[in-house]
Amino acid sequence: MKNKRIISLICALTMVFSMFSAVSVSAAGEKGMALSGSLSKDGKTITIDVTALNAVGGMANAAVSFAVPAGVTEDDISFTAEKGFALQLDGLDGNIYTLALVDFTGKGVIPKGKLATIKIKLNSPLSSDLTITLSEKSGFEDSEGAISVGDGTMDAASVTIKKWSGA
C-alpha cells in the first residue's frame, strides 16, 4: 500500500514537471516577443500568435519575420493585426515572410495581448514538426526605443508546431 502511494506521488510530480518544461518563460521585465502556435484539425492550417512582452507605453511599430515551409506563397498567408496598427509591409522574400506594422493613430498603440495572428495554409497536412523562429527583422519600438533580433537587443523567440497525426 505504501509503495503504491509513493509511485502515485512520483507519477504526479513527473506530470507536473513535464507540463512546466513545455512552457517558455521570460524573465520579469524582459522585453521581447513571444510566439504561440497551433495546427488545424485537418493539418493544413498553421496559426501563429505574436505577443509583445513588457512593452512600455505605446508602440510606434512592430515587425515579425520568419521562415515559412517550402511551397508556401503569399496567397497562402493571411493575418489580423492589433487595432491601431496599419500594414506597412507584408511580403514573402524567398522563404522569409515579413509583416511590418506601423501605428496609424500617431499616439502609440498600446498592445492588449497579441500584436498579430498569422495563418499559413498548406497544400497538404504538416508531415513533420515545424519550428518557427523570429528572424533578424523582428522587433518593435516602444516609448523607450527600438529593440530587435538583428541588433541583439531581443531574443529570437520560437515555437514548434507538432506534425499532423490524423483526424
Side-chain angles (χ1 to χ4, degrees), residues 98-117:
T98 302
L99 170 65
L101 303 169
V102 65
D103 166 30
F104 73 82
T105 68
K107 298 176 183 176
V109 176
I110 300 172
K112 295 179 178 80
K114 292 181 282 191
L115 287 176
T117 298

Side-chain angles (χ1 to χ4, degrees), residues 39 43-46 69-70 72 76 120-126 130:
L39 185 64
K44 293 182 178 182
T45 304
I46 298 169
V72 170
D76 300 325
I120 304 168
K121 293 188 180 189
L122 306 172
N123 293 326
S124 59
L126 188 64
L130 174 68

